[in-house]
Amino acid sequence: MQQLTAVEARRMRLVAQGLDRRARAGADDGSAASRGASRGSSAGGGAGGAASALGRTPTQVVRRMVAMQGQDLLQVLQAIAIRSAPGTSLDDVRAVFDRGELVRSWAMRGTLFVATPDALASLHAAVAGRMRTREWRMCLDRGIDEAAAERSAAVLVELLADAPQPRPALMAAWEAAGIDVSGGRGYHLLALHSYAGLVRFGPFAGTAQLLVGGAAPAVQGPDAALAEAVRSLVAARAPVSEADIAWWLALPKSTVRAAFARAEGIREVLVGGAPMLVVEQGLEGRRSGVLLVPGFDEWILGYRDRSLTAGAEMHAALVPGNNGVFQPAVLVDGRAVGRWRAARGRGAPTVELIEQVSAATAAAIERHVAAWPHG
C-alpha cells in the first residue's frame, strides 16, 4: 500500500482541490463529467478536453467539488474564483449563477451549499429526508403547524412561478398571507422548502442573490448517484478518510460504506500510518507557495479531521471559540500559518500570522496579500 507523508498528502490535496494553478491544465479529475469531457464531450460551461480538467470555469470547479459550503455568499464566490482559471472575477462567478449553471441551497449539515442543479438534486436524494425531519422539528418548536407550512409552500410556488424574486419579497408575501416569519420562522420555512426541492438561490440582482422556483432535476437511481458523488468527493479532496466523507455528507457510516462499495476506482493509501482514500489515478502533488483561502473554505471545512492542514493553535484561531464561524486562512504549501481579514474599501487585506515563518515566506505573504484581487 502506498504511504504518504503529511507534506505529500497536503500537496496532493492542493492539486485535487484545484488550488495548485500549475497543475490545472491537462490533469484528469477522475469524475464522470471529466471522463466524458476527455472523450470529447462537452462539460459544464461549454468547455471540454483539457479545459475541463481540475476545473477551469466556475461551473467545472463546483461540479468537480460536488458542492462547496456557501453560507457566506461573498466567501463562497471567492472560493470558486480562486479555483477557476486565472483572471476569473467575482462577476464571472455571479454570471454562472445568472445562467442557471449553479445554484445555492440548504443541503448537508443544515447549511447552505453551492452546487450544479443536478448535483444538488442527487445530494438531496441522499440527505434531504433526514434534514427535512430536523428542519420540521425546528419549525414545530417555533409554533409553525402543518397548515401554515403547507400554506407557505403554496405562496412560495405562486410567487416564484413567473420570475426570480428577492428574499424580502417572499417574506412579505408570507406575512401578507398571515404567516409569521419573525423569530427565525421565515428562515426555517425557507430551508424546509429548499429540502423539498421547491426553491433555491439562483441569479443575482447586483450583489444580492434571488430565489428561484420550479421543479428540481429528477434523480435516476439515487444509490448510483450517491456512489458517483462519494467517488467525486474523494477525487476532489484526496487523500481523505471515510470518516471525513461521512461527516461531510452527514450520513451514517454504514450508508457511506455501501456507497463506496458501489463506487469504482477508489483505493487506500496510508498517511502517517492512517488509512485514507484516493482515486486510482491519484494526482501527484508538488511544492506550492502562498495562498489565501476565504472563510468557510473547503480546504479547511471540507474535512472532519483538519490536523493535516492546521495545528491545534492555528485551528483555534481559525474557529475562535469553536463557534462554527471559520476565518479566512493563509496557507504556505497547504499548511495554515495565519488568518486574514478583508480591508474595507479597496485596501489590501490584513494578516495575522499564528505560526512562525521565515523572513522570505513573510515577504511572499505580503506580496500575495497585496495582489489579492477578489475584494
Side-chain angles (χ1 to χ4, degrees):
M1 185 180 297
Q2 182 182 7
Q3 300 195 41
L4 300 173
T5 66
V7 171
E8 290 170 332
R10 281 195 297 274
R11 291 175 181 175
M12 183 182 287
R13 277 187 184 176
L14 284 167
V15 178
Q17 285 218 16
L19 288 170
D20 180 355
R21 292 189 182 278
R22 295 169 299 177
R24 287 187 181 180
D28 182 12
D29 70 7
S31 70
S34 180
R35 293 196 297 275
S38 69
R39 293 190 293 269
S41 62
S42 175
S52 71
L54 275 182
R56 299 288 292 180
T57 70
T59 301
Q60 290 165 343
V61 165
V62 177
R63 179 182 291 116
R64 171 179 171 75
M65 296 292 288
V66 181
M68 297 173 68
Q69 189 141 337
Q71 66 266 58
D72 187 293
L73 180 55
L74 174 60
Q75 293 189 109
V76 74
L77 298 180
Q78 292 171 340
I80 296 167
I82 64 174
R83 290 167 169 85
S84 300
T88 299
S89 69
L90 299 187
D91 283 341
D92 294 330
V93 181
R94 292 186 185 101
V96 176
F97 286 89
D98 294 343
R99 295 196 295 270
E101 295 175 23
L102 296 179
V103 293
R104 178 169 160 258
S105 180
W106 282 267
M108 293 72 61
R109 308 194 308 276
T111 194
L112 288 154
F113 284 80
V114 170
T116 65
D118 286 341
L120 177 64
S122 293
L123 291 169
H124 273 174
V127 307
R130 295 165 59 88
M131 296 310 307
R132 200 165 190 273
T133 297
R134 172 178 145 175
E135 202 64 51
W136 179 238
R137 287 198 299 268
M138 294 182 181
C139 289
L140 291 175
D141 289 345
R142 288 160 177 79
I144 300 170
D145 61 19
E146 189 169 345
E150 290 178 355
R151 190 163 69 254
S152 70
V155 171
L156 179 152
V157 169
E158 181 178 1
L159 179 70
L160 300 179
D162 295 327
Q165 297 290 334
R167 179 171 168 170
L170 175 61
M171 298 299 135
W174 278 344
E175 288 278 14
I179 300 164
D180 185 5
V181 299
S182 65
R185 293 175 181 85
Y187 174 94
H188 289 290
L189 281 170
L190 184 54
L192 183 75
H193 299 321
S194 295
Y195 291 125
L198 298 179
V199 61
R200 66 228 41 112
F201 289 97
F204 280 81
T207 58
Q209 205 169 15
L210 303 179
L211 295 169
V212 292
V219 178
Q220 302 297 328
D223 289 345
L226 181 58
E228 180 58 34
V230 298
R231 187 192 191 283
S232 296
L233 285 168
V234 172
R237 289 162 176 78
V240 61
S241 72
E242 180 186 273
D244 288 330
I245 298 295
W247 172 84
W248 192 90
L249 287 166
L251 288 174
K253 288 184 179 179
S254 58
T255 302
V256 174
R257 288 192 189 106
F260 278 130
R262 291 188 293 269
E264 297 179 356
I266 297 174
R267 64 183 177 89
E268 279 195 348
V269 297
L270 293 177
V271 178
M276 302 192 85
L277 304 169
V278 299
V279 292
E280 283 180 345
Q281 57 271 44
L283 301 169
E284 182 180 350
R286 68 192 81 194
R287 181 174 177 79
S288 180
V290 174
L291 181 67
L292 302 186
V293 295
F296 302 100
D297 192 87
E298 292 286 326
W299 182 255
I300 302 294
L301 191 49
Y303 306 85
R304 182 174 189 175
D305 181 354
R306 300 163 191 135
S307 59
L308 192 63
T309 50
E313 183 181 2
M314 186 67 245
H315 188 270
L318 290 176
V319 198
N322 200 28
N323 62 0
V325 178
F326 284 69
Q327 303 294 316
V330 180
L331 308 181
V332 176
D333 201 18
R335 182 78 174 175
V337 300
R339 57 187 181 183
W340 62 275
R341 179 179 301 136
R344 295 180 178 177
R346 296 180 177 271
T350 57
V351 168
E352 178 187 3
L353 293 178
I354 306 300
E355 297 190 356
Q356 290 187 339
V357 299
S358 68
T361 297
I365 291 171
E366 289 182 8
R367 291 193 299 271
H368 199 90
V369 166
W372 173 255
H374 297 301

